[in-house]
Amino acid sequence: MPEDAEDRLRDFLRNGKEWARLRTSVPGIFVLKLPSYRGSRDRLAVEVNPVDEGGSPRKRRGLVLRDREELEEFRRLLSDGRLEKLLEELERVNPEEGKGGEGLLKI
């Protein structure tokens, strides 16, 4: 990592507001300042959050990764074929967007 990038991260850790996002050169990848919690000090994490056409996060909070070990665990989970099968089932069960109450279960 370039030295100036490391300096920017150190400055963000010291001076950034809690839960603030810092954009990176990769769309959808942000640096997130986490507040102190249960005795741990403020720290930085990576947030993966799809962006819209303007580069703004599409979700209020994305996937937060605190270290490479978490990244590996999420890779393992996301590559499990059963996840895709579960999502296919959900797509069949969930109402289609824009259809109003047509997809509701009538009791």
Side-chain angles (χ1 to χ4, degrees):
M1 178 182 328
E3 192 171 322
D4 58 315
E6 190 171 323
D7 290 341
R8 277 191 73 194
L9 291 173
R10 287 184 198 284
D11 182 59
F12 185 59
L13 178 60
R14 272 192 301 271
N15 302 314
K17 294 184 179 183
E18 293 180 353
W19 299 109
R21 281 188 183 109
L22 179 64
R23 289 180 186 224
T24 70
S25 58
V26 180
I29 304 291
F30 302 88
V31 176
L32 185 66
K33 181 172 178 184
L34 302 176
S36 57
Y37 178 72
R38 293 188 179 181
S40 71
R41 297 167 43 183
D42 290 357
R43 56 193 280 190
L44 301 179
V46 169
E47 179 185 13
V48 180
N49 196 340
V51 294
D52 62 18
E53 300 79 31
S56 297
R58 285 206 262 160
K59 300 189 155 288
R60 183 174 149 124
R61 185 66 59 218
L63 174 64
V64 177
L65 302 169
R66 291 167 183 82
D67 55 43
R68 288 181 289 180
E69 187 177 313
E70 282 187 350
L71 173 62
E72 288 306 315
E73 185 64 18
F74 276 107
R75 279 184 178 150
R76 185 186 66 74
L77 291 168
L78 292 171
S79 66
D80 190 318
R82 295 174 291 184
L83 175 59
E84 189 167 347
K85 289 178 183 174
L86 175 60
L87 287 169
E88 288 171 0
E89 292 291 327
L90 293 179
E91 289 171 359
R92 284 195 285 274
V93 171
N94 281 331
E96 291 182 38
E97 290 197 28
K99 293 276 187 171
E102 292 177 23
L104 296 177
L105 177 63
K106 298 180 182 173
I107 331 181

